[in-house]
Amino acid sequence: MAGLTMQVNIVAADHPVWHGTAKSVTIPASEGGMGILPNHEPVLTVIKEGTIVVVDPDGSRRSFEVTDGFISFDSNKLTVAVARGRDVKMAE
């Protein structure tokens, strides 16, 4: 059985960072870490510098270092807009 997923688009001011499908995303919200799951209520919030963790549908994790920005989530589409962001290759 396929689990619920959402579309994720992480963009920096000068380039796209990553886009794809995820089953969960953890973001560095201004008030602390925040998890987003498919079918989350619509949200628009400021994020601070930190790490975004995306869990792919197969369970693997991707991490992205980002600067201040904001996220918008609605209709299973998460958009992360930041000044700078980059993919982080994490060792297990």
Side-chain angles (χ1 to χ4, degrees):
M1 177 178 104
L4 293 173
T5 60
M6 59 186 152
Q7 292 299 311
V8 178
N9 191 20
I10 303 172
V11 295
D14 61 349
H15 69 282
V17 177
W18 183 82
H19 72 276
T21 303
K23 66 180 185 179
S24 72
V25 178
T26 303
I27 60 159
S30 59
E31 300 298 316
M34 177 180 187
I36 305 284
L37 296 170
N39 296 325
H40 193 285
E41 67 184 24
V43 64
L44 176 64
T45 194
V46 173
I47 62 172
K48 61 184 179 180
E49 185 171 346
T51 303
I52 293 174
V53 178
V54 175
V55 179
D56 291 336
D58 67 3
S60 62
R61 293 175 181 265
R62 300 173 178 268
S63 295
F64 304 91
E65 287 183 359
V66 298
T67 56
D68 295 355
F70 71 91
I71 65 112
S72 170
F73 183 81
D74 192 17
S75 303
N76 281 332
K77 291 186 174 89
L78 175 65
T79 301
V80 180
V82 294
R84 290 188 312 277
R86 68 181 184 93
D87 195 344
V88 179
K89 306 295 184 211
M90 294 187 67
E92 291 294 319

